[in-house]
């Protein structure tokens, strides 16, 4: 079954850290571009970060310098290390398989991140 399953969300105080994981199954994630996308309450989806099949990494300006995207090809798993978290980082975080045209063709169910001030 082709799917993505996120984990690692939780509640932290401002300035804290979390590491999100996304396990891929049914396909080889290292062969694809992969992304993290978040959605805050009452807002639309916001792209956070992407990693290409060639290991190029891209970040939204709002998280640059604080978040790091990576993956473990042996585990078929994508990660998002989030440091110096802010209340405005509160959102449901999704991992998504990313097409060469920059849209998303497979989504996980998301993991909730809540940052208190």
């Amino acid at each position: 079954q082709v799917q993505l399953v996120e984990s690692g969300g939780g509640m932290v105080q401002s300035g804290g850290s979390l590491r999100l994981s996304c396990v891929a199954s049914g396909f080889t994630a290292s062969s694809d571009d992969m992304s993290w996308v978040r959605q805050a309450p009452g807002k639309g989806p916001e792209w956070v970060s992407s990693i290409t099949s060639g290991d190029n990494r891209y970040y939204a300006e709002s998280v640059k310098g604080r978040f790091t995207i990576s993956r473990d090809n042996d585990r078929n798993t994508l990660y998002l290390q989030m440091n110096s978290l802010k209340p405005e980082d509160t959102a449901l975080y999704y991992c998504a398989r990313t097409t060469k045209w920059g849209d998303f063709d497979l989504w996980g169910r998301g993991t909730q991140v809540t940052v208190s001030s």
Side-chain angles (χ1 to χ4, degrees):
Q1 183 178 4
V2 177
Q3 64 178 1
L4 297 168
V5 179
E6 304 95 334
S7 62
M11 296 182 63
V12 295
Q13 291 189 330
S14 183
S17 298
L18 284 172
R19 187 177 80 156
L20 306 184
S21 300
C22 172
V23 178
S25 56
F27 71 102
T28 303
S30 60
S31 299
D32 289 294
D33 298 351
M34 299 293 296
S35 299
W36 289 97
V37 179
R38 67 186 181 186
Q39 186 164 15
K43 296 187 177 180
E46 177 191 16
W47 170 76
V48 174
S49 181
S50 295
I51 184 168
T52 69
S53 57
D55 269 353
N56 295 309
R57 305 174 193 205
Y58 303 93
Y59 299 94
E61 283 298 323
S62 59
V63 306
K64 197 174 290 186
R66 300 187 298 122
F67 290 11
T68 303
I69 192 170
S70 64
R71 59 174 151 208
D72 184 332
N73 294 335
D74 290 339
R75 297 176 186 268
N76 215 23
T77 300
L78 179 73
Y79 300 102
L80 186 68
Q81 177 67 44
M82 306 186 296
N83 298 329
S84 302
L85 282 161
K86 304 175 182 180
E88 51 263 45
D89 294 318
T90 294
L92 188 59
Y93 283 72
Y94 299 91
C95 71
R97 188 172 64 185
T98 308
T99 72
K100 297 301 181 184
W101 295 272
D103 55 1
F104 310 113
D105 68 352
L106 179 67
W107 295 78
R109 290 189 173 186
T111 186
Q112 178 68 39
V113 172
T114 303
V115 185
S116 60
S117 56

